[in-house]
């Protein structure tokens, strides 16, 4: 095929060479070919439009490679035939540009030869490590997430029938989550746990000084490693609803506690001041939860003694808990109503009972708990704190006890970025559930959380409880803890 017969094509679009080269050409006897300045943008050609079929090809040649020039009158004349001379000029100009780039790359490669050799060695080493990790990895579907808590604390003048236990104790709580996902949206959780808290003053669910991280007494855990969670959950209906079932599941972990107060110190304040409804019942069960924003609703069922064939999953003696709730969850606020029904063997947490009564239901008793909670958070940190409010009402039917009716409430304030970004502080006050006709117990907590790093925090806190029915003389007590949390 003769080049002079070719019409415009992507290469032929550069029918002119750079000015310095083209000025030496005499096309058709007239030296009018090249402009005096190199073209840097295709928009400099008055006769080239974005709608032209070869517009993008010409644009690349001009702006990326810089080997195209035009006529002195600012035109490109893309519709005319190209001669062999013009093709040679174009090819020579573009080859010159390629040579310049290649020479520059060679110069840079020689200049940074040592650095490139080091990088190559590192890449080779990383590839070898990745190969080793892939061969030795624990699982392709399971991730380990852990949390370790060191708690130094005590309560002054804490007198029980067993004597004075006011001495400062140093305890730990370790939780290892093995989280497995088969689809990317489901979760199989296996949690290993060990702790060494004693029952008093921090470890028992019937103590008003029960700590959130002390969920296990010596008899329950006691330095042994146990499995305390084992459940599977998966989304349905395009992710709007989550279904959970497991042999070891907790009702508050498959429900929504409408509160923004998260000191992680006193257990009472972590369940929104309504421990009769959000009682952290743990056992075999299942639940369904709808919504993460807007309307939120759910129901779950936990049998605390469901693994015991003598009582079973559905017999009332199996400590059955049914928790239902409905609410609304906005961007920075929420409100919710909760209800829990419990059979014998269930309990109201942090219950301030007579003579150490724990609030656990004896044979023949059933309970009904009601809670309403609301919270609001500022959209940005400042002088305004987040506000959390909660109220609970509990009734017991069946055998008469001092726990026939009880009520509880709380109000909590939290400030973010206090003194240093990432740190927080808060105060909460409330009334623990107290047996009917007994002195009402007031709880107080003040904390400051210092975020040492993304994975380490230190939280000193002062706590107070009045009219503690578990203690001699129904005494009131001050206490304090320093809780250090490591997450990994």
């Amino acid at each position: 095929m003769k080049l002079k017969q070719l019409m415009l094509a992507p290469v032929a679009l550069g029918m002119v060479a750079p000015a310095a080269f083209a000025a030496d050409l005499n096309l058709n006897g007239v030296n009018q070919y090249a402009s005096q300045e190199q073209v840097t943008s295709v928009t400099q050609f008055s006769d080239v439009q974005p709608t032209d079929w070869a517009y993008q090809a010409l644009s690349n040649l001009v702006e990326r490679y810089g080997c195209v020039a035009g006529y002195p009158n600012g035109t490109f004349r893309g519709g005319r035939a190209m001669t062999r001379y013009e093709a040679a000029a174009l090819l020579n100009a573009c080859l010159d540009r390629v040579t310049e780039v290649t020479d520059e790359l060679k110069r840079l490669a020689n200049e940074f030869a040592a650095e490139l050799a080091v990088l190559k060695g590192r890449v080779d080493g990383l590839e070898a490590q990745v190969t080793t990790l892939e061969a030795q990895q624990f699982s392709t579907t399971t991730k380990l997430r852990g949390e370790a808590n060191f708690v130094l604390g005590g309560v002054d003048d804490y007198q029980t029938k067993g004597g004075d236990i006011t001495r400062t104790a140093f305890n730990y709580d370790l939780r290892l989550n093995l989280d497995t996902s088969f689809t990317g949206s489901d979760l199989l959780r296996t949690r290993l746990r060990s702790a060494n808290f004693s029952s008093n003053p921090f470890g028992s669910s019937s103590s008003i000084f029960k700590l959130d991280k002390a969920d296990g007494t010596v008899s329950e855990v006691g330095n042994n490693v146990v499995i305390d969670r084992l459940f599977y959950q998966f989304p349905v209906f395009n992710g709007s609803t989550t279904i959970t079932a497991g042999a070891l599941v907790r009702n508050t972990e498959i429900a929504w506690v409408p509160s923004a107060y998260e000191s992680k110190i006193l257990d009472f304040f972590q369940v929104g001041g309504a421990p009769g409804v959000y009682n952290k019942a743990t056992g075999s069960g299942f639940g369904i939860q709808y919504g993460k924003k807007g309307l939120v609703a759910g129901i779950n069922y936990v049998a605390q003694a469901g693994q015991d064939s003598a009582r079973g999953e559905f017999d009332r003696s199996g400590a059955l808990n049914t928790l239902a709730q409905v609410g609304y969850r906005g961007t920075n606020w929420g409100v919710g109503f909760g209800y829990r029904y419990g059979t014998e063997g269930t309990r109201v947490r942090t219950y301030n009972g007579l003579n150490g009564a724990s609030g656990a239901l004896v044979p023949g008793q059933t309970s009904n708990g009601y809670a309403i909670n609301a919270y609001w958070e500022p959209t940005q940190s400042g002088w305004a704190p987040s506000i959390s409010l909660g109220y609970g009402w509990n009734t017991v039917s069946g055998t008469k006890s001092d726990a026939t009716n009880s009520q509880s409430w709380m109000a909590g304030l939290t400030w973010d970025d206090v003194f240093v970004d990432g740190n927080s502080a808060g105060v909460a006050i409330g009334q623990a559930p107290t047996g009917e006709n007994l002195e009402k117990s007031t709880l107080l907590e003040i904390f400051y959380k210092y975020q040492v790093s993304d994975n380490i925090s230190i939280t000193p806190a002062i706590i107070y409880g009045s009219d503690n029915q578990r203690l001699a003389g129904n005494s009131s007590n001050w206490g304090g803890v320093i809780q250090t949390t490591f997450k990994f």
Side-chain angles (χ1 to χ4, degrees), residues 63-409:
E63 298 172 10
R64 182 179 300 179
Y65 302 107
C67 57
V68 173
Y71 286 87
N73 62 356
T75 61
F76 181 67
R77 302 183 187 178
R80 62 179 294 274
M82 184 176 72
T83 67
R84 285 178 175 270
Y85 293 109
E86 292 169 338
L90 169 66
L91 183 59
N92 181 71
C94 288
L95 288 176
D96 285 344
R97 291 290 297 160
V98 171
T99 300
E100 291 175 10
V101 173
T102 302
D103 291 342
E104 181 66 15
L105 289 175
K106 289 180 179 179
R107 186 187 66 79
L108 291 173
N110 292 331
E111 183 176 346
F112 294 100
E115 290 82 355
L116 290 173
V118 172
L119 288 175
K120 183 179 183 303
R122 291 180 179 178
V123 170
D124 292 341
L126 287 174
E127 289 179 347
Q129 292 179 26
V130 168
T131 300
T132 302
L133 288 173
E134 289 178 345
Q136 299 177 351
Q137 65 181 342
F138 169 72
S139 172
T140 59
T141 58
T142 302
K143 294 183 178 180
L144 171 65
R145 294 181 174 88
E147 179 179 304
N149 291 278
F150 295 165
V151 180
L152 180 69
V155 176
D156 184 51
D157 198 27
Y158 198 96
Q159 305 285 336
T160 68
K161 293 180 179 180
D164 183 356
I165 52 174
T166 62
R167 295 179 179 86
T168 300
F170 190 4
N171 301 103
Y172 78 89
D173 176 81
L174 175 65
R175 311 176 187 203
L176 301 175
N177 289 324
L178 298 174
D179 291 341
T180 303
S181 180
F182 304 102
T183 66
S185 58
D186 62 339
L187 171 66
L188 171 64
R189 171 160 291 177
T190 305
R191 190 169 85 177
L192 306 178
R193 184 170 176 269
S194 182
N196 67 346
F197 288 90
S198 58
S199 177
N200 286 309
F202 298 134
S204 173
S205 294
S206 59
S207 170
I208 62 174
F209 290 112
K210 170 76 177 68
L211 294 182
D212 176 67
K213 299 301 183 182
D215 195 21
T217 64
V218 168
S219 60
E220 294 171 341
V221 179
N223 289 312
N224 296 316
V225 177
V226 300
I227 297 177
D228 78 333
R229 295 290 187 279
L230 183 59
F231 62 84
Y232 179 68
Q233 61 183 196
F234 57 94
V236 294
F237 305 126
N238 296 321
S240 64
T241 304
T242 300
I243 295 177
T244 304
L248 280 171
V249 64
R250 172 165 286 180
N251 59 3
T252 53
E253 294 176 352
I254 54 177
W256 171 50
V257 180
S259 177
Y261 187 82
E262 296 184 354
S263 66
K264 304 298 184 182
I265 303 297
L266 284 181
D267 184 79
F268 173 77
F269 294 115
Q270 299 312 300
V271 292
V277 174
Y278 304 109
N279 68 337
K280 294 187 176 181
T282 307
S284 54
F286 45 85
I288 182 170
Q289 190 75 8
Y290 168 79
K292 296 179 181 178
K293 290 291 185 181
L295 177 64
V296 177
I299 185 169
N300 62 64
Y301 173 90
V302 173
Q304 293 174 249
Q307 81 286 351
D308 185 354
S309 59
R311 290 183 283 178
E313 181 73 16
F314 302 106
D315 188 87
R316 62 179 299 158
S317 64
L320 313 182
N321 297 264
T322 302
L323 171 60
Q325 63 176 174
V326 64
Y328 188 89
R329 194 172 189 174
T331 303
N332 65 324
W333 67 277
V335 61
F337 172 78
Y339 165 76
R340 185 188 67 87
Y341 171 79
T343 68
E344 59 189 65
T346 61
R347 72 166 65 230
V348 175
R349 290 176 75 89
T350 62
Y351 176 72
N352 191 26
L354 181 63
N355 297 325
S358 66
L361 302 186
V362 298
Q365 289 184 330
T366 60
S367 67
N368 293 275
Y370 308 86
I372 183 168
N373 296 80
Y375 69 90
W376 173 86
E377 297 177 289
T379 55
Q380 57 185 6
S381 59
W383 63 268
S386 64
I387 303 172
S388 300
L389 303 171
Y391 174 79
W393 174 260
N394 311 294
T395 65
V396 176
S397 60
T399 305
K400 177 66 176 179
S401 74
D402 68 308
T404 300
N405 297 306
S406 62
Q407 60 180 328
S408 61
W409 60 268

Side-chain angles (χ1 to χ4, degrees), residues 416-471:
D416 293 329
D417 298 329
V418 179
F419 302 130
V420 178
D421 288 349
N423 295 355
S424 61
V427 58
I429 189 170
Q431 175 185 297
T434 305
E436 196 171 28
N437 301 321
L438 299 178
E439 291 294 331
K440 303 301 183 287
S441 176
T442 299
L443 295 179
L444 173 69
E445 172 184 281
I446 303 172
F447 78 92
Y448 181 78
K449 182 180 180 181
Y450 174 56
Q451 197 69 42
V452 180
S453 67
D454 291 340
N455 302 97
I456 304 174
S457 65
I458 301 174
T459 307
I462 298 173
I463 55 180
Y464 170 78
S466 72
D467 298 302
N468 194 336
Q469 301 294 327
R470 289 172 57 97
L471 304 185

